[in-house]
Amino acid sequence: MSRASLLLALGLLLTSGACQCRSQPPAAAPPPPPSLHVGFAGCAAVTSGPVCELPGDRRLRLWVEVPKQVALSVSAGGARLPVEEREVRGGRACTFVVPAGATEVVLAVSLPQGPAVWRLPVRNSEQVPLLQRATALRAEGKAEDAAKLLREETPALPEVPRTRAKSLLARVELSLGHAEEAAAHLRESMALHRLGGRRSDEASDAMVLVYTLIHHGRRFTDAREVLEAVGSMEGNHPEGGAQRAYHEGLLALESGDVGAALQHFAEAELLAERLGIGRLHRAVRQVLATTLQSLGRDEESLVLLGALRDETAGSDCEKADLLTNIGWGLLLAREAGGAPRGEPVPPLEEALALYRGVCASPDDEANVLVNLALAELHAGRAGAAAARLREARHARPEPGARLALWWLDLEGRIHLAAGQARQARQRFARLAELAEASASPEARWRAAFGQAQAAEQLGDVRTALAAHARAEALLDGEALRVPLMEGRHVFLRERERGSRAYVALAVRTGHVTEALEAARRARARVLEAVRLSDRVTHLPAAERARWDTALAAYRQEREALDEEAARDWRLSTARLAEVRQARRLRDERLRALLEESFTLLVPAASATRSPQGTRPRPAPGELWLVYYPAPRGWIGFAAAEHTVKARFLEPVAPGASPEVLAATLLEPFREELLAARRVTLVPYGVLRAVDFHALPFGADALVAGRPVAYALDLARPEPAEAAPRERTALIVADPEGNLPQAREEARLVHAALREDWQVQVQSGPAATGAGVRAALERAELFHYAGHGRFAGLGGWESVMPLHEGQLTVGDVLALRRVPSWVVLSGCETVLAAQDSPVEGLGLAQAFLAAGAHGAVAAWREVDDAHAMELMRALYRHDGPFTATGLPEALRHAQLELRARRPESDWAAFRALVP
């Protein structure tokens, strides 16, 4: 289990400000001086102006957006100051000490277009003895004494110190568990700070209030309103802007908006690095790393955590949290069936020593011991795992509901590792009882999966397959209702080990059709989670408020039930059955709240897709090649109209040659491929990067002998009655005005369509974001000729640029109606995060997920001239107008381009079908 450092808001006072450029009185209308982009940090407080109140050590930090070769100087009190300077992303950072008596800091920069000057007024900060005494008491752990002192002596202070004392009292009340009192104090002090022009104090209180609203009462809408009221702070308080971005990320994460959380955390990390806010920088990187862990982005997460470990800054307790997260990240990769990325025991042992020493915490100690037990299990040391679990029980004799469920799961797994299947079966049966009583979908799944493993170890294949099927049904029923902020991606990702075990067992025992369906359902669950997650990011304001309210109600009900179930593990089976019956109404309320939340994620004009829905089947003459991870290597399925065959395949090394890939992935199904008139690929994970259609097969590429398509393989809803659309085509070309070939391509496509289609062309400045999105909902065919950009962590920020706007994955998923046929003649328009063990959505896949019948798009960067030639040939061969015709048209176009331009990357484009 992860230990994320989210308590930073309680201990930080937000100080800093921004820059105000000033110039000398002009002579005869000279050109204005060049402007500077400057931020500063380190002030004890920032007041209107901005004016920086200096800290005790008088050290300030500046960041200025200028290159290394540009000369700059910092002066104060009429003297040039010695400066510690370093390069930071996008500019340079300077640290210096302001001399006594100085009233202004002056930054002078010699730019090519002329000198530029930035000035910041400074003054000494006022020391308030009461605040110093109360802060000292709080640091000594005497929060009650600090609160009593502040309550008694605050009323006698002058206005400004009195308001600052109320801010401190709010923090002390919060540490004592008085969340409502703290929130009331914070709202009052924020208003007074604003009246007094104390910008940093207002911002600091706002961030603590946001944290309070998020974690005490789950008042997401109120927290969002506080952040909006504070504003961006970029113009007058950049350090507060970094804190705001961090808290926006926390709010997004807790309210299920993982995409927005990643973006906010990336912004906060950048600002904290530039401004030298070390504690914030470390906190952001930790929570960013744990969020990436939950998304299956192990490599990126461990790189971030490793860089943090190499730093010497931070307290012992920060280090303990970091080491716990590193150990959990290494374990999580193994839990999900990934390759080992390091040994988890050493960082966990180091964290354990800290939690038993300077950072004594029974809860954290028990958490690390549970992780160590799991690490011992992965190392094949069942006895050592049992010993660690006994230590955890000793450290936390009264566990919460979730920890107790974890213990039972681990006990069952330890029995399995020791070959004690009957004892394991008993433990998992007990886990199932507790899971039902506490309404825990995660524990329900763990119990079913454990029972399947125990039955398999006992040689009872029929019972094992039935238990696996029950576990999969629990995922189908619960996975899309588990709130995102409760680890939904981890829930799905960890459960892949169950799906893989099920598929492998079914194949080994000859149940290949059952295995294929299980593999397809597992993949569809992950894709649906990605689709809904992106939908959360793009909820309109009114729906966002409803989402916040419904989700907050669920969280409060969930937490109340967890508290009630904390001692269930002590109850007998008979008593537990009575408790479960008494809680049935609460369980039903939980489900109703979840259903209410997730109905908001379905656009009004589209039906819900789910893993249980109807998925496509191979047509006559069609062969489906489906690949799914096995405990070692891959399992390949060749599914025709009436037959299914399966093979265990060897692992595929990164960067393997086309010949090796063909021998591993295609040759085992040679007979089936030779008989197929059409091939549909359903690759998984890293295999998405393989150009199957271009792999050698026989004397030529696979696509030379038959059309090849790549299927998203999501369940399709029953067709809804919809007004028929005219044959309307929308062509968007060169919206950024830098691709002349794209304009020529648009003319060619227009010429090919105009006799049979009503064509609308939006080119250059006419291709605005609002205009394109509106036209898309009316078009039957969409052709985009322009740039495509795969960007952001995990591809969350992939876009097709438009003029004064862009089209994102979320924009596509939010459309009320999408074109039936889509051609994206831009780079990386089908690319999804290819190094992740779980699935993702690119731009083209988003159109299919939203209801399109087919698409042509590029997996990677493409040459403009070659792309235009391919498109000319595509439309000459009847274009993308039917599900069967689209792959055939692309096949002819690719072979034609290959013959004419052998040097071209003719295989970069793919035909996609639902």
Side-chain angles (χ1 to χ4, degrees):
M1 287 176 283
S2 171
R3 173 70 162 84
S5 299
L6 302 182
L7 298 178
L8 182 65
L10 304 181
L12 289 180
L13 288 176
L14 307 181
T15 57
S16 134
C19 329
Q20 189 173 28
C21 297
R22 299 179 181 178
S23 59
Q24 298 298 323
S35 61
L36 291 174
H37 181 197
V38 185
F40 68 92
C43 301
V46 178
T47 59
S48 297
V51 177
C52 170
E53 293 187 359
L54 295 168
D57 62 5
R58 307 182 71 85
R59 289 177 68 86
L60 294 184
R61 300 181 298 276
L62 297 181
W63 176 85
V64 57
E65 189 178 26
V66 293
K68 180 180 180 180
Q69 63 272 19
V70 171
L72 61 79
S73 66
V74 179
S75 60
R80 182 166 178 169
L81 304 181
V83 170
E84 299 172 17
E85 187 179 328
R86 61 190 176 91
E87 288 188 69
V88 183
R89 283 186 284 176
R92 289 150 70 185
C94 306
T95 303
F96 52 90
V97 176
V98 180
T103 59
E104 186 176 59
V105 170
V106 180
L107 172 68
V109 181
S110 300
L111 296 173
Q113 61 269 43
V117 176
W118 173 86
R119 301 173 186 273
L120 176 68
V122 297
R123 67 184 178 210
N124 294 330
S125 58
E126 179 185 359
Q127 301 301 313
V128 182
L130 172 62
L131 299 185
Q132 293 174 320
R133 299 201 315 271
T135 300
L137 286 170
R138 185 183 176 203
E140 294 168 8
K142 300 176 181 178
E144 291 282 6
D145 293 342
K148 183 175 182 294
L149 178 66
L150 289 167
R151 292 189 195 109
E152 291 175 352
E153 299 192 19
T154 292
L157 293 175
E159 183 178 357
V160 171
R162 185 169 66 249
T163 305
R164 292 172 61 191
K166 288 180 179 179
S167 295
L168 180 56
L169 177 58
R171 287 158 172 78
V172 176
E173 294 281 18
L174 193 59
S175 68
L176 292 170
H178 307 154
E180 290 302 318
E181 293 89 336
H185 287 313
L186 289 166
R187 290 189 184 278
E188 181 183 0
S189 60
M190 283 173 59
L192 292 171
H193 285 316
R194 173 165 291 193
L195 287 173
R198 298 188 65 82
R199 183 59 168 149
S200 62
D201 289 342
E202 178 196 355
S204 176
D205 286 357
M207 297 308 111
V208 179
L209 179 57
V210 166
Y211 183 90
T212 305
L213 292 170
I214 292 172
H215 295 278
H216 299 273
R218 308 298 176 186
R219 293 155 65 180
F220 302 135
T221 299
D222 290 348
R224 215 177 300 281
E225 290 173 354
V226 172
L227 287 169
E228 290 172 358
V230 170
S232 69
M233 293 181 280
E234 181 181 0
N236 60 13
H237 186 27
E239 189 171 1
Q243 291 281 358
R244 184 182 192 274
Y246 173 62
H247 284 81
E248 283 180 313
L250 295 182
L251 174 59
L253 191 63
E254 288 295 309
S255 61
D257 193 347
V258 181
L262 288 174
Q263 294 173 20
H264 291 311
F265 289 145
E267 178 188 0
E269 184 199 10
L270 174 63
L271 293 174
E273 181 183 358
R274 285 177 171 176
L275 297 171
I277 316 172
R279 189 177 181 185
L280 176 62
H281 191 235
R282 294 190 298 274
V284 173
R285 295 177 82 184
Q286 279 225 56
V287 72
L288 179 57
T290 55
T291 305
L292 289 171
Q293 282 177 355
S294 75
L295 296 172
R297 312 290 295 178
D298 297 317
E299 191 63 39
E300 292 166 82
S301 172
L302 290 171
V303 166
L304 272 175
L305 292 172
L308 280 169
R309 189 177 186 179
D310 292 340
E311 297 178 5
T312 57
S315 68
D316 287 334
C317 298
E318 283 185 75
K319 183 179 180 182
D321 294 346
L322 172 63
L323 291 165
T324 303
N325 286 336
I326 291 173
W328 173 246
L330 294 168
L331 277 174
L332 190 58
R334 299 185 183 197
E335 282 282 274
R341 298 176 183 271
E343 176 53 54
V345 171
L348 290 173
E349 288 277 21
E350 195 174 347
L352 181 62
L354 291 168
Y355 288 135
R356 285 174 167 171
V358 294
C359 299
S361 167
D363 286 336
D364 290 322
E365 180 184 348
N367 179 50
V368 172
L369 285 165
V370 167
N371 288 348
L372 280 166
L374 187 57
E376 298 289 4
L377 266 182
H378 280 293
R381 297 186 289 266
R388 291 295 193 184
L389 192 53
R390 285 194 296 272
E391 288 185 75
R393 288 184 179 277
H394 179 74
R396 195 72 170 87
E398 294 289 335
R402 294 188 181 186
L403 187 57
L405 294 171
W406 260 95
W407 286 354
L408 277 171
D409 179 58
L410 275 173
E411 284 180 347
R413 292 171 69 173
I414 289 168
H415 284 307
L416 285 174
Q420 301 165 346
R422 296 187 187 282
Q423 293 93 321
R425 187 168 59 185
Q426 292 173 355
R427 291 288 82 193
F428 289 124
R430 176 63 172 170
L431 177 59
E433 292 174 348
L434 284 172
E436 287 299 322
S438 60
S440 169
E442 179 179 9
R444 284 172 178 147
W445 178 86
R446 287 183 181 277
F449 178 48
Q451 289 167 331
Q453 290 179 299
E456 184 176 351
Q457 194 173 100
L458 289 167
D460 187 350
V461 173
R462 177 176 296 180
T463 300
L465 288 174
H468 273 304
R470 190 164 65 251
E472 292 295 292
L474 283 167
L475 288 179
D476 289 340
E478 299 284 358
L480 298 181
R481 292 196 295 266
V482 175
L484 297 170
M485 73 288 170
E486 287 197 349
R488 180 162 170 225
H489 290 79
V490 172
F491 184 74
L492 290 165
R493 180 170 173 256
E494 278 196 288
R495 281 358 127 216
E496 277 199 278
R497 67 188 177 94
S499 300
R500 293 178 186 187
Y502 180 22
V503 172
L505 176 63
V507 170
R508 284 198 306 271
T509 56
H511 298 80
V512 292
T513 300
E514 183 177 349
L516 174 60
E517 290 308 304
R520 293 178 70 187
R521 283 204 313 274
R523 182 177 178 276
R525 276 194 296 269
V526 180
L527 280 170
E528 184 68 359
V530 173
R531 186 179 79 89
L532 291 178
S533 181
D534 208 293
R535 173 67 177 152
V536 173
T537 304
H538 294 84
L539 280 175
E543 292 181 13
R544 164 71 65 183
R546 291 169 57 203
W547 166 264
D548 285 347
T549 300
L551 217 49
Y554 169 82
R555 287 292 296 271
Q556 290 175 308
E557 186 74 13
R558 173 77 262 174
E559 287 159 6
L561 181 55
D562 284 347
E563 185 175 347
E564 188 177 310
R567 291 177 175 80
D568 282 357
W569 59 279
R570 292 180 166 185
L571 301 178
S572 66
T573 296
R575 177 61 182 143
L576 201 58
E578 295 174 8
V579 168
R580 186 168 64 245
Q581 181 66 27
R583 290 184 188 151
R584 180 164 295 176
L585 287 178
R586 176 163 280 179
D587 189 9
E588 290 175 359
R589 172 165 168 74
L590 275 175
R591 291 172 182 271
L593 288 168
L594 283 177
E595 294 293 349
E596 179 185 351
S597 301
F598 281 88
T599 54
L600 297 171
L601 301 187
V602 183
S606 66
T608 302
R609 289 179 174 79
S610 70
Q612 310 98 304
T614 303
R615 282 181 300 278
R617 298 290 177 184
E622 181 181 19
L623 181 71
W624 278 56
L625 291 181
V626 180
Y627 297 90
Y628 192 72
R632 179 186 178 277
W634 297 87
I635 297 174
F637 296 91
E641 184 182 12
H642 299 297
T643 61
V644 178
K645 294 185 178 180
R647 300 280 191 276
F648 284 97
L649 308 175
E650 291 298 314
V652 176
S657 68
E659 290 73 22
V660 170
L661 290 170
T664 304
L665 302 172
L666 297 183
E667 285 300 321
F669 305 109
R670 166 171 284 274
E671 181 180 341
E672 290 80 10
L673 283 167
L674 289 173
R677 298 195 299 271
R678 173 181 169 177
V679 174
T680 298
L681 275 303
V682 186
Y684 190 91
V686 295
L687 292 188
R688 288 169 295 174
V690 175
D691 289 331
F692 283 88
H693 58 292
L695 292 181
F697 185 73
D700 206 335
L702 178 65
V703 75
R706 75 280 301 150
V708 177
Y710 294 77
L712 192 60
D713 198 24
L714 275 179
R716 302 293 289 189
E718 291 297 324
E721 292 293 329
R725 284 186 283 196
E726 299 179 359
R727 287 171 66 84
T728 302
L730 171 64
I731 302 173
V732 173
D734 190 24
E736 295 183 299
N738 54 9
L739 284 177
Q741 293 275 17
R743 292 178 182 253
E744 177 61 24
E745 179 181 312
R747 285 191 286 272
L748 292 173
V749 175
H750 188 188
L753 295 175
R754 62 188 175 193
E755 290 188 10
D756 301 316
W757 291 74
Q758 181 180 341
V759 182
Q760 178 185 1
V761 179
Q762 295 187 9
S763 183
T768 63
V772 169
R773 283 189 287 271
L776 275 172
E777 295 186 342
R778 300 189 298 270
E780 181 71 4
L781 168 66
F782 173 48
H783 184 105
Y784 176 86
H787 290 293
R789 297 193 181 111
F790 178 79
L793 294 166
W796 289 93
E797 299 171 43
S798 295
V799 300
M800 287 183 290
L802 301 171
H803 187 76
E804 297 180 353
Q806 58 192 19
L807 192 69
T808 68
V809 169
D811 291 332
V812 174
L813 294 174
L815 292 172
R816 291 172 298 177
R817 193 172 184 182
V818 295
S820 297
W821 309 103
V822 177
V823 179
L824 305 180
S825 183
C827 301
E828 301 178 342
T829 45
V830 71
L831 182 62
Q834 57 186 310
D835 58 341
S836 171
V838 298
E839 294 296 290
L841 287 178
L843 291 159
Q845 293 97 321
F847 277 101
L848 294 171
H853 300 322
V856 170
W859 177 262
R860 50 187 169 270
E861 293 185 1
V862 291
D863 177 83
D864 293 343
H866 295 164
M868 185 174 69
E869 287 195 48
L870 182 75
M871 292 301 144
R872 187 201 309 264
L874 177 72
Y875 284 92
R876 187 167 57 249
H877 289 286
D878 296 330
F881 309 136
T882 67
T884 55
L886 180 144
E888 182 67 19
L890 181 61
R891 168 178 173 264
H892 285 296
Q894 288 178 321
L895 295 177
E896 186 176 310
L897 178 61
R898 185 182 68 168
R900 295 183 58 190
R901 303 275 192 175
E903 77 283 4
S904 68
D905 186 6
W906 60 271
F909 282 87
R910 298 183 180 185
L912 286 85
V913 295

